[in-house]
Amino acid sequence: MARGKTKKKGNARQKALDVHKKVASKIIEHLEKGIRPWNKPWKGGSLGFGFTDLPVSASTGKSYRGSNVWYLSLIREDNEYVDNQWGTFNIWKKKGEQHAKSIGSDEYFGVQKGAKAHPVVYWKKSRWIEEDEKTGEETVRHSFHPKYFMVFNRAETGLPPIEKPKMTKKEEKKKKEMAVIDAEKIFDKMVEDLEIDFRESKQGRAYYSPSQDYIHLPNRDLFKTAEGRVGTAFHEAVHWSGHSSRLDRDLSGMFGSEDYAREELVAEMGAAMLCMGAGIEGKALDEQMENHAAYLQSWLKAIKEAKDGGAKFINSSASKAQRACELLMPEVFGYEEKKKEDE
């Protein structure tokens, strides 16, 4: 089966690379300030309910994927946007018209003058069959083609903010406590559903053993907070997902190496996303990061030594973190088993 080429292919890939460089630049900017940008106090929402701070598409209601999550989250933070909805100019125009009709108004509620669009990238998978002219043997091939969109935050439109339930301080505290309890249940269910070998002991170290394929956490009373325990559990669960029998990431790197830095970045990003998906605050990741400064330096070193300014390093890590979340928390991130012909 012949496969056609388009003139815009190279241009689209260059645009996608430019977007990836923007993402890398934004993350580097925070790392140089000593801040892990994926460890922000973004408050999530319980599984499938309420509000979540994963940036979502105003068109589909689904959360964005990979590096788009971090880029849009940082843009939102920098501009202090209240809402987490993003959409193209046309999507907001349509929603604005619907809102105007619902209230009997002629006012324009779409994207407002002076608003700034931000790029997001979507990679579409193509699959085709190549036939050997001599043998007639057919081989399944696939490739990914980038598509990019310019999106605006809901706050850049004339639409009213999404209404969130008003709560007293006492109610907010109770909700937070319940969110942590729910997050612990989510991890327990994760262990049960995925048959994770999970161990606890008095040993004051959290880790995942690739050779023996098990997760170890210190006993519950050795953690400073319940959030810290759950965040640490999610961090190690992301490492667990990289085993050769699952997502098959390179887990052999030694501390200080690029491979080690990359895997820790995957685990950090993945754990932060799982925290958002489970409804607990990003500070849950603070507890297991005793070597905070050392990790920051290892990431900056690997990023700055890359020829493309760290774009591939960061975006590849974000993509792998996304895949880990899909496996570990399919209720939020979705997961589809890969078919053999797609491997």
Side-chain angles (χ1 to χ4, degrees):
M1 180 179 176
R3 183 162 161 259
K5 295 183 179 180
T6 64
K7 294 180 180 179
K8 295 183 179 180
K9 180 179 177 182
N11 183 50
R13 287 192 175 276
Q14 184 57 51
K15 288 284 187 182
L17 179 59
D18 290 343
V19 173
H20 286 173
K21 286 181 177 179
K22 281 191 175 185
V23 175
S25 176
K26 201 71 183 171
I27 288 178
I28 290 170
E29 179 186 324
H30 282 71
L31 290 177
E32 288 180 332
K33 293 177 182 177
I35 302 170
R36 287 172 290 150
W38 42 86
N39 191 24
K40 292 289 182 183
W42 297 314
K43 296 181 181 178
S46 57
L47 280 171
F49 303 97
F51 295 93
T52 170
D53 269 5
L54 287 165
V56 297
S57 164
S59 175
T60 66
K62 295 181 180 179
S63 62
Y64 286 91
R65 298 165 54 85
S67 58
N68 293 320
V69 171
W70 308 109
Y71 183 62
L72 294 180
S73 294
L74 292 172
I75 293 295
R76 179 186 173 195
E77 181 206 12
D78 288 348
N79 291 278
E80 299 182 350
Y81 293 145
V82 175
D83 291 314
N84 63 352
Q85 279 193 337
W86 300 80
T88 62
F89 183 91
N90 287 335
I91 288 297
W92 288 127
K93 182 175 182 289
K94 182 178 179 180
K95 287 190 172 292
E97 290 169 349
Q98 291 171 346
H99 177 69
K101 185 177 180 180
S102 70
I103 63 174
S105 171
D106 294 328
E107 188 178 346
Y108 176 71
F109 291 97
V111 174
Q112 302 295 291
K113 186 177 180 180
K116 183 179 180 181
H118 302 281
V120 293
V121 176
Y122 165 71
W123 292 84
K124 184 177 181 181
K125 186 176 181 179
S126 296
R127 179 179 178 275
W128 72 97
I129 297 175
E130 281 188 358
E131 182 179 331
D132 189 293
E133 294 180 357
K134 294 181 179 179
T135 65
E137 183 180 349
E138 293 185 342
T139 303
V140 177
R141 304 286 187 188
H142 67 259
S143 65
F144 292 87
H145 307 282
K147 289 188 173 183
Y148 70 95
F149 304 90
M150 302 303 289
V151 297
F152 300 85
N153 185 272
R154 184 185 181 95
E156 298 175 282
T157 73
L159 290 166
I162 297 174
E163 289 187 19
K164 298 185 181 182
K166 294 180 180 180
M167 293 183 288
T168 63
K169 288 184 178 181
K170 185 176 180 180
E171 288 173 330
E172 286 183 355
K173 182 180 179 182
K174 182 66 176 178
K175 183 182 178 182
K176 181 179 176 182
E177 290 171 353
M178 291 304 298
V180 176
I181 293 173
D182 288 344
E184 289 185 317
K185 290 179 181 178
I186 289 167
F187 175 70
D188 292 341
K189 186 175 184 298
M190 188 185 294
V191 169
E192 181 180 352
D193 290 350
L194 297 174
E195 299 182 347
I196 298 174
D197 185 350
F198 174 61
R199 310 176 188 182
E200 292 178 282
S201 75
K202 294 180 180 179
Q203 183 184 355
R205 191 165 70 91
Y207 61 88
Y208 165 66
S209 171
S211 59
Q212 298 183 57
D213 195 23
Y214 72 86
I215 291 173
H216 173 271
L217 289 187
N219 286 338
R220 185 181 296 269
D221 60 354
L222 295 177
F223 284 92
K224 300 171 187 174
T225 64
E227 292 103 318
R229 179 180 178 275
V230 181
T232 303
F234 285 157
H235 180 99
E236 300 307 333
V238 176
H239 283 313
W240 175 89
S241 74
H243 188 269
S244 58
S245 65
R246 290 179 280 277
L247 301 183
D248 195 20
R249 297 193 305 272
D250 184 358
L251 305 177
S252 63
M254 301 296 289
F255 185 82
S257 69
E258 181 177 329
D259 288 337
Y260 186 91
R262 186 190 304 277
E263 175 58 24
E264 280 304 315
L265 186 54
V266 171
E268 275 275 276
M269 287 180 159
M273 291 175 70
L274 292 173
C275 283
M276 284 191 273
I280 58 178
E281 296 184 18
K283 70 177 184 179
L285 301 180
D286 288 335
E287 189 137 7
Q288 88 276 13
M289 293 298 292
E290 296 175 357
N291 298 317
H292 171 73
Y295 277 108
L296 288 176
Q297 290 307 311
S298 69
W299 290 326
L300 278 172
K301 181 175 182 292
I303 291 168
K304 288 184 174 180
E305 288 180 355
K307 293 180 180 179
D308 61 358
K312 185 177 180 180
F313 181 90
I314 289 175
N315 286 278
S316 172
S317 298
S319 177
K320 290 175 181 177
Q322 174 75 38
R323 186 66 177 162
C325 290
E326 291 170 359
L327 171 64
L328 295 167
M329 200 179 283
E331 299 92 330
V332 173
F333 299 97
Y335 179 71
E336 293 182 5
E337 195 74 41
K338 284 186 176 180
K339 296 179 181 179
K340 287 186 178 180
E341 65 262 27
D342 289 340
E343 294 292 337

